Amino acid sequence: MKLEIKKSALENLNVDTLVVFVSKQERGKGKKNGTNAKAARSAFVEGATREISAKLNAAAEQGVLTGSANETVFFRETNLSGARHLLAVGLGETKALDHETLRQASAAAFKELKAQKSRSAAYGMDSLPNNDLSADLTVRAVAEGAVMADYSFSDYKAKKDSAGGVERVFVVSSGKPKAYEHGLETGRIVAESVNFCRWLGDRPGNLMTPTILAGETAKAAKGTKLKVSVWDRSRIKAEKMGAFLSVSLGSVQEPRFIVMEYNGASSSKKPICYVGKGLTFDCGGISIKPSAGMEEMKYDMCGGGAVISAMLAIARLKLKVNAIAFVPSTENMPGPAANKPGDIVTARNGKTIEVNNTDAEGRLILADALVYACERKPSMIVDAATLTGAMVVALGNLHTGVFTRDAKLMGRIQRAADGAGEPVWPMPLTDSHAKDMRGTYADLSNVSAKGRDAGSATAAAFLEQFVDSDIPWAHFDIAGTAWHTGDRLPYSPRKGASGAIVRTFVQLAMDGE
Ligand code: BES
Ligand code: MN
Ligand code: ZN
């Protein structure tokens, strides 16, 4: 799909469909709390021609069009402003207009364009209600919504979803501020990175092995300033990553340790380090999972995918930061050399771990990656992992749980997530959780002495044992948000990987200190 800016009023558009944004708003200023209840509930559009307004008003009076968030009403063969059809998309209450509302509305409109077989469309920016958003952010949100909504995974189907889809989208504005081009480019790059993360996640385990993940990462990084290095099993062993290595032993697929480096600032500036769980298939190992739903464990590399995708965006956006990503990637399988419950393994920092449940493998591979990340003396470390089923139970599929003891970092994360439009929620991480992870025969156990209680927090406390205490660190458990979020977010596929936390990780780098 081609996305471009066009300077024009809502006239002579020459597209299949014109998209206008409609809000739920009181009509008639000064008439506080509107004496007319019907008018108070009606839809409202800015900057539209008389003919367009007349169409919308007629639909509003019939109660078909209300302007509520993500509502779409399609008017066929209206032939107004040079567009064959007219599509109204709702923003909800105008006073609540923020970039996430716009991102969602843009996506809802895009999906309707697709459903109505429009090949070309114009998003009429003049129809947006007055708001406090910058021109840059406004267009960025519209672009992100459209490009993310354009994603689907049909690589292995004879009939591709993209066939007959939307080919050209114009973002049309009579003003066309300079910032529009920048916003469009930023939005496109961020959304394409989210889509890349989804694509990595959606590929099945046999076609997204650690070797393939590393290969696709290197391929995607071509033409950017990213330096990608990939370690094989013998190097991982030589680097004393005994916990990571132990997980890989049950599989015939070789593990890979993927490192991506980007230098956009002076070398004296400490890097942001990203760490992501790249478990390409998790059957649980010897502590095998039940078969129902096991196919979903192809998504267990979505933390790694998010980190890889965020780095691609950072490099393509040429952000003025230094950043390094570390993705330990392996399968978790019950082959003859697999970890056995009770086995003791040694991590890169010398700490010993009893593997009391081979299905708690994510923390084992992340442990070594975190130790290695600390050695780079970063300004901060953020990790993303589909780490615990308990996270899904606690927060569901909208909020990503964030674990950190660093209040300043939590503030930064909250701002970045708000800026990116991704809900995050602070979770507890205390000495008690750390105590639950002590081992009987080794320094640590990979499962909590308290069983499933606070399972996400005890997992986070385990990870904490591998991070230097003077380095600001936060752990993002994306087990609930990494896939099947389309029931809540119009720009996410109904089923499949969501690309969760890519936007927040990019925003963290954009925000700077
Ligand atoms: N990848 C899973 C976590 C997971 C489960 C994510 C369900 C999404 C949905 C992880 O490796 C795992 O198996 N965790 C165990 C830990 C337990 C054995 C302490 C879990 O959550 O059950
Ligand atoms: Mn597991
Ligand atoms: Zn796992």
Side-chain angles (χ1 to χ4, degrees):
M1 186 258 294
K2 254 185 95 183
L3 192 59
E4 54 203 289
I5 307 258
K6 191 169 163 182
K7 183 182 164 118
S8 166
L10 295 183
E11 59 190 23
N12 304 326
L13 292 170
N14 195 20
V15 288
D16 285 345
T17 304
L18 164 63
V19 179
V20 291
F21 296 96
V22 177
S23 49
K24 225 180 177 138
Q25 189 173 296
E26 273 180 43
R27 272 189 297 182
K29 285 198 185 91
K31 262 201 229 162
K32 238 186 168 184
N33 298 330
T35 43
N36 181 338
K38 197 172 159 200
R41 271 188 274 106
S42 70
F44 183 81
V45 62
E46 280 285 344
T49 62
R50 268 220 324 276
E51 291 85 354
I52 292 174
S53 296
K55 277 270 170 237
L56 300 176
N57 286 339
E61 260 143 46
Q62 288 173 17
V64 174
L65 180 70
T66 68
S68 67
N70 301 341
E71 168 194 78
T72 53
V73 181
F74 197 81
F75 303 84
R76 292 203 78 82
E77 308 293 352
T78 42
N79 291 306
L80 296 170
S81 301
R84 187 162 166 192
H85 316 296
L86 176 67
L87 170 59
V89 59
L91 294 168
E93 304 274 349
T94 304
K95 61 176 185 294
L97 183 67
D98 59 15
H99 56 89
E100 176 62 7
T101 307
L102 201 50
R103 191 180 285 111
Q104 292 196 14
S106 168
F110 190 89
K111 288 202 298 196
E112 185 64 16
L113 290 171
K114 221 168 164 175
Q116 299 287 352
K117 309 254 181 285
S118 289
R119 310 298 289 267
S120 61
Y123 280 70
M125 303 302 280
D126 288 0
S127 68
L128 283 173
N130 289 329
N131 60 75
D132 300 332
L133 294 174
S134 68
D136 187 334
L137 260 187
T138 302
V139 178
R140 181 178 154 191
V142 169
E144 284 181 6
V147 175
M148 287 195 291
D150 195 25
Y151 175 84
S152 72
F153 183 71
S154 58
D155 287 13
Y156 301 103
K157 280 182 169 174
K159 192 169 169 284
K160 303 290 180 231
D161 295 343
S162 55
V166 187
E167 281 164 5
R168 285 188 94 168
V169 171
F170 298 96
V171 176
V172 176
S173 155
S174 53
K176 196 192 177 183
K178 252 223 157 94
Y180 270 25
E181 291 292 349
H182 181 261
L184 189 87
E185 197 50 22
T186 308
R188 189 208 327 262
I189 290 173
V190 170
E192 283 175 359
S193 304
V194 171
N195 289 349
F196 183 69
C197 177
R198 292 168 171 178
W199 179 80
L200 293 174
D202 284 339
R203 295 238 338 211
N206 64 328
L207 301 169
M208 187 47 64
T209 61
T211 308
I212 297 172
L213 181 63
E216 291 295 340
T217 300
K219 198 169 127 193
K222 283 227 173 80
T224 70
K225 267 179 63 184
L226 283 164
K227 192 180 138 228
V228 178
S229 0
V230 178
W231 296 355
D232 63 4
R233 182 175 271 153
S234 65
R235 178 76 188 268
I236 292 163
K237 192 173 175 187
E239 294 284 349
K240 300 196 159 32
M241 295 188 162
F244 173 24
L245 182 76
S246 78
V247 174
S248 78
L249 294 178
S251 170
V252 292
Q253 290 295 337
E254 272 231 10
R256 290 289 182 264
F257 189 64
I258 305 166
V259 182
M260 301 169 87
E261 293 187 55
Y262 170 75
N263 295 309
S266 83
S267 57
S268 62
K269 200 142 188 265
K270 287 182 172 182
I272 302 179
C273 280
Y274 297 99
V275 176
K277 172 178 174 182
L279 222 296
T280 57
F281 190 77
D282 178 16
C283 78
I286 298 294
S287 315
I288 201 160
K289 289 181 182 294
S291 55
M294 199 198 270
E295 70 281 2
E296 297 196 323
M297 282 300 125
K298 70 173 181 174
Y299 297 117
D300 214 14
M301 36 57 66
C302 283
V307 159
I308 291 166
S309 304
M311 288 295 285
L312 288 170
I314 289 167
R316 287 181 66 197
L317 292 166
K318 303 190 169 65
L319 298 185
K320 293 189 170 43
V321 292
N322 295 328
I324 317 176
F326 307 90
V327 178
S329 182
T330 174
E331 286 186 338
N332 185 24
M333 297 290 281
N339 273 334
K340 300 171 292 296
D343 281 3
I344 293 177
V345 299
T346 307
R348 184 174 167 89
N349 64 351
K351 287 196 182 175
T352 55
I353 307 160
E354 280 169 54
V355 183
N356 287 321
N357 187 322
T358 67
D359 198 11
E361 85 298 335
R363 59 197 77 183
L364 295 174
I365 72 171
L366 290 169
D368 284 323
L370 288 167
V371 171
Y372 189 64
C374 288
E375 292 166 19
R376 301 299 300 263
K377 303 278 173 240
S379 61
M380 63 173 189
I381 302 176
V382 286
D383 78 65
T386 48
L387 201 63
T388 62
M391 193 74 254
V392 192
V393 176
L395 295 184
N397 69 350
L398 190 56
H399 293 83
T400 292
V402 179
F403 301 78
T404 181
R405 298 208 206 200
D406 189 319
K408 201 172 145 214
L409 179 58
M410 189 64 224
R412 260 189 90 170
I413 288 167
Q414 191 69 61
R415 273 195 303 283
D418 288 348
E422 290 191 296
V424 297
W425 205 259
M427 297 290 293
L429 168 54
T430 70
D431 290 347
S432 310
H433 300 116
K435 206 168 145 194
D436 294 341
M437 299 309 291
R438 287 186 192 154
T440 310
Y441 308 103
D443 301 330
L444 295 162
S445 165
N446 77 330
V447 289
S448 162
K450 291 285 188 302
R452 293 194 301 189
D453 293 9
S456 306
T458 52
F462 179 90
L463 297 181
E464 191 184 37
Q465 306 309 308
F466 300 90
V467 182
D468 294 347
S469 55
D470 58 341
I471 298 175
W473 162 75
H475 158 61
F476 292 64
D477 194 333
I478 58 170
T481 50
W483 69 89
H484 301 352
T485 57
D487 59 332
R488 295 186 187 275
L489 302 168
Y491 47 70
S492 280
R494 194 172 54 81
K495 277 191 128 191
S498 64
I501 234 65
V502 173
R503 288 185 278 148
T504 299
F505 276 13
V506 175
Q507 193 68 41
L508 267 175
M510 276 183 189
D511 288 353
E513 297 307 313

